[in-house]
Amino acid sequence: MIRVLATGPQVTVQDLHGRPGRADLGVGVSGAADRRALALANRLVGNDVDAAGLEVTFGGFAASFPTTAVVALTGAPSPVTIDGRATDPHRPVVVPAGSQVRLGTPPTGLRTYVAVRGGIAVDPVLGSRSTDVVSGLGPAVVAEGDELPIGPRPAAAVPWIDLAAPPRSDGVLRVVLGPRDDWFTDPGVLLRSTWTVTEDANRVGFRLDGPELARAEGFADAELPSEGVIRGSIQVPPSGRPTVFLADHPVTGGYPVIGVVVDADTDVAGQLRPGEAVRFRRA
Amino acid sequence: MRTVRPCGDTGLLVELDSLDDVLALHATLAADPPSGTVDLVPAARTVLVRVASAADLPGVAADVRSREAGEVADRSGSGTVEIAVTYDGEDLDDVAEHTGLSRDDVVAAHTDQLWTVAFAGFTPGFGYLVGSDERLHVPRRASSRTRVPAGAVGLAGEFSGVYPRESPGGWQLIGRTDHVLWDLDRDPPAVLLPGTRIRFCVA
C-alpha cells in the first residue's frame, strides 16, 4: 500500500489498454495519455507492461511507503526526492520502508508516470483500472489521504539498468488529413501553421490557438451528424479553433475532424503543456 | 453509397446514406468483424471502424467495401421505458423559436411521440433516440457547453438524448430528469440499449 500525501494538479490511476471494444456502448478507451512512458515505467520495475501505474499531471505528487517498494518514474522528468534526497528518474529505484517520495514540477513535458513493482491494485471496472475523467468509469481521481493497494510481486526480475533514455520530442505530430478535411477552405493551414497549446487542456484533449480554420463554401453553416472519433482526432468547432483529442475523448463528436494524429504520436501529444508550440506534418 | 474515409492510421470512417444503412452495415460487421477490428462505432450516417494496428487497415477497408448489408436485429421486444422530465431547459426558448412552436408545443411534441434508441455512444449510457415528429429537428448549439448537468434532456439533428452524467455537450437542452441511465451495479448498466422504446412524460 502507498499513502498519498499530495497530488498536485491531478493524479489518476491508468493502465495501458483501457477499455477497448465497448465504444458502441458509449464506453471510451481511456488509459495512459502517454502509453509508451507507462509501458517503460512498468518494464523498469519488472511489471507486465499493462500493470496500472500513476499518471501525475504537472508534478506535485507525494506519497509515503509503509513497506519497501521498487518504483520507476518516466515521462515528464519531474525532479524526485526520497526522504529529501534527490534521485534519478527513468530507472528502478528502491524506496525503503517508511520513506516519502516527492515529485517537483517537471521542466518539460506534462505527465510523469509512477510505476510501483506489483502495480496499483485498485479494482478494475469493465476490465481496466484506468480512470476515465469524462465517463467517470474506473477508480476516482486520486486524492490526498488515499491508500492505494499494491499488487503481488511479479515473476519477472527488476531489470539491470542504469538509466533508460527519456524519449525526445521535436513538437511535431504526424497527421493523416480527414475524414472531414473537405469541410475546410484550406486544410493545408493545419500543416503550415505553428499552433499553441492553450490552458484548456486535460485528459480529454487540448484546444489550440492559431489561425482560424475557415469552413469551405457550402459547409459554412452545415451540421455534421455526430460520428465516431478516435484518439488523436483534431476536431474543429465553428469557432475555427481546433481541439486535439487524447485518451478520454468522447466516443462520438459533432464537429468535423480535419485530420487525425497517428496513433504513436498521440503519446507525444499527451506530453504537450499549455503554452507549448506544436506543428503538424503529413504522415 | 458507401464512402470510406481515412481516420488516422488506425481507423476508417464509413459514410452511408441513411441511419437504416448504418444499422444494417453495423449488424454485419458486428456479427463478423473484419480481421484486426477493435471497436465499431455506429452513428447517424457513419460507422467508425478502429483497428489494432495500421497494418490491418488495407484489409479492413477492402472487407468493408465488399460487405453485403446485414439484417438489423428486430429489437421490438426490448420494452418501453417511461422517463419523467421537468421541461425547463436553458435552450427551450431557442428551440421554440427555431421550430416556430410555442414552449408548450415543444413539450407536447416531445412527450407525444414514441422514441427508439437507434444506437448508443458519446458517453456510457447515452442513447441516440429517434422519433417520428420531424418538427423537433433542430441544429446543435453554435458553441458547445463545457458542462452539461447529469439528467439534462436535449435535442440535436434528428435525435433526442439524455446526458447520463455531467459532461461537455452541444445539444439544445429542453429539460432534465432524475432517471438514472447508467449504473454499474445493474446488468446491463445502461437503460438506453439499442431498440429500447422511450416515452417522455411531464414530471
Side-chain angles (χ1 to χ4, degrees):
Chain A
M1 182 269 285
I2 63 175
R3 190 170 293 120
V4 178
L5 303 174
T7 62
Q10 187 180 60
V11 176
T12 57
V13 177
Q14 297 294 337
D15 59 26
L16 213 56
H17 64 80
R19 301 180 183 86
R22 293 181 167 93
D24 55 356
L25 297 175
V27 175
V29 179
S30 190
D34 181 354
R35 297 161 300 184
R36 64 189 175 160
L38 175 62
L40 176 62
N42 275 325
R43 287 172 59 187
L44 289 173
V45 296
N47 282 350
D48 186 295
V49 290
D50 197 28
L54 298 176
E55 181 179 281
V56 179
T57 305
F58 213 53
F61 172 71
S64 64
F65 287 68
T67 53
T68 301
V70 179
V71 305
L73 288 88
T74 59
S78 298
V80 190
T81 60
I82 300 176
D83 277 349
R85 279 194 302 276
T87 186
D88 285 329
H90 275 93
R91 66 187 179 97
V93 179
V94 176
V95 179
S99 53
Q100 291 186 3
V101 173
R102 286 184 181 274
L103 273 63
T105 303
T108 59
L110 184 61
R111 296 182 169 95
T112 306
Y113 291 84
V114 182
V116 182
R117 185 163 166 79
I120 304 294
V122 294
D123 290 336
V125 175
L126 299 179
S128 170
R129 296 185 168 88
S130 293
T131 297
D132 183 329
V133 298
V134 163
S135 70
L137 293 177
V141 171
V142 174
E144 186 186 327
D146 282 358
E147 295 185 344
L148 301 171
I150 304 302
R153 191 164 54 183
V158 175
W160 181 261
I161 189 165
D162 187 41
L163 194 67
R168 287 193 306 200
S169 163
D170 53 7
V172 180
L173 304 176
R174 290 168 295 169
V175 66
V176 177
L177 288 183
R180 300 292 174 191
D181 49 328
D182 52 344
W183 279 55
F184 301 91
T185 319
D186 180 9
V189 169
L190 181 75
L191 306 171
R192 291 193 300 271
S193 310
T194 298
W195 303 86
T196 307
V197 179
T198 66
E199 295 285 336
D200 199 358
N202 55 29
R203 283 184 44 81
V204 177
F206 50 85
R207 201 163 286 193
L208 295 172
D209 245 344
E212 186 189 340
L213 289 160
R215 292 259 180 109
E217 206 174 317
F219 290 100
D221 299 314
E223 276 273 312
L224 182 74
S226 290
E227 60 190 25
V229 292
I230 66 172
R231 180 179 173 129
S233 294
I234 307 169
Q235 181 182 265
V236 187
S239 68
R241 299 273 182 259
T243 294
V244 181
F245 281 140
L246 295 177
D248 290 355
H249 67 82
V251 172
T252 54
Y255 300 117
V257 169
I258 190 171
V260 180
V261 176
V262 303
D263 188 61
D265 287 8
T266 62
D267 291 323
V268 179
Q271 291 292 0
L272 293 171
R273 55 206 262 175
E276 196 164 349
V278 57
R279 294 181 65 88
F280 298 97
R281 73 173 169 87
R282 207 184 273 262
Chain B
M1 269 292 285
R2 198 180 285 178
T3 310
V4 178
R5 293 173 176 267
C7 192
D9 63 339
T10 57
L12 291 174
L13 189 69
V14 189
E15 197 169 18
L16 300 127
D17 288 333
S18 70
L19 181 57
D20 288 342
D21 290 349
V22 166
L23 297 178
L25 179 66
H26 178 251
T28 175
L29 293 176
D32 180 18
S35 171
T37 300
V38 177
D39 262 316
L40 292 170
V41 190
R45 296 289 177 274
T46 54
V47 178
L48 172 70
V49 185
R50 191 168 70 81
V51 299
S53 113
D56 297 320
L57 269 192
V60 171
D63 188 345
V64 166
R65 283 199 177 89
S66 65
R67 282 291 177 118
E68 298 285 322
E71 287 288 309
V72 180
D74 177 12
R75 293 164 166 138
S76 52
S78 303
T80 301
V81 176
E82 187 156 289
I83 295 179
V85 177
T86 304
Y87 286 95
D88 60 357
E90 286 178 44
D91 302 321
L92 196 51
D93 285 330
D94 286 350
V95 170
E97 189 177 351
H98 188 87
T99 55
L101 302 171
S102 67
R103 282 171 69 111
D104 288 347
D105 289 343
V106 170
V107 174
H110 200 246
T111 52
D112 286 353
Q113 59 185 313
L114 188 61
W115 297 84
T116 306
V117 182
F119 55 91
F122 177 57
T123 191
F126 191 90
Y128 288 81
L129 314 181
V130 289
S132 50
D133 187 344
E134 294 186 1
R135 290 179 304 162
L136 287 187
H137 292 190
V138 292
R140 205 180 284 106
R141 283 168 49 83
S143 66
S144 65
R145 292 186 169 92
T146 52
R147 277 185 189 177
V148 173
V153 179
L155 297 169
E158 68 208 284
F159 301 106
S160 186
V162 185
Y163 286 82
R165 58 176 269 124
E166 184 184 297
S167 60
W171 290 32
Q172 308 269 7
L173 304 183
I174 58 171
R176 61 195 154 85
T177 179
D178 295 331
H179 209 102
V180 176
L181 296 168
W182 175 264
D183 180 355
L184 278 170
D185 293 332
R186 284 189 308 233
D187 186 23
V191 172
L192 303 181
L193 296 167
T196 305
R197 293 174 198 285
I198 308 296
R199 176 76 72 184
F200 290 103
C201 62
V202 176

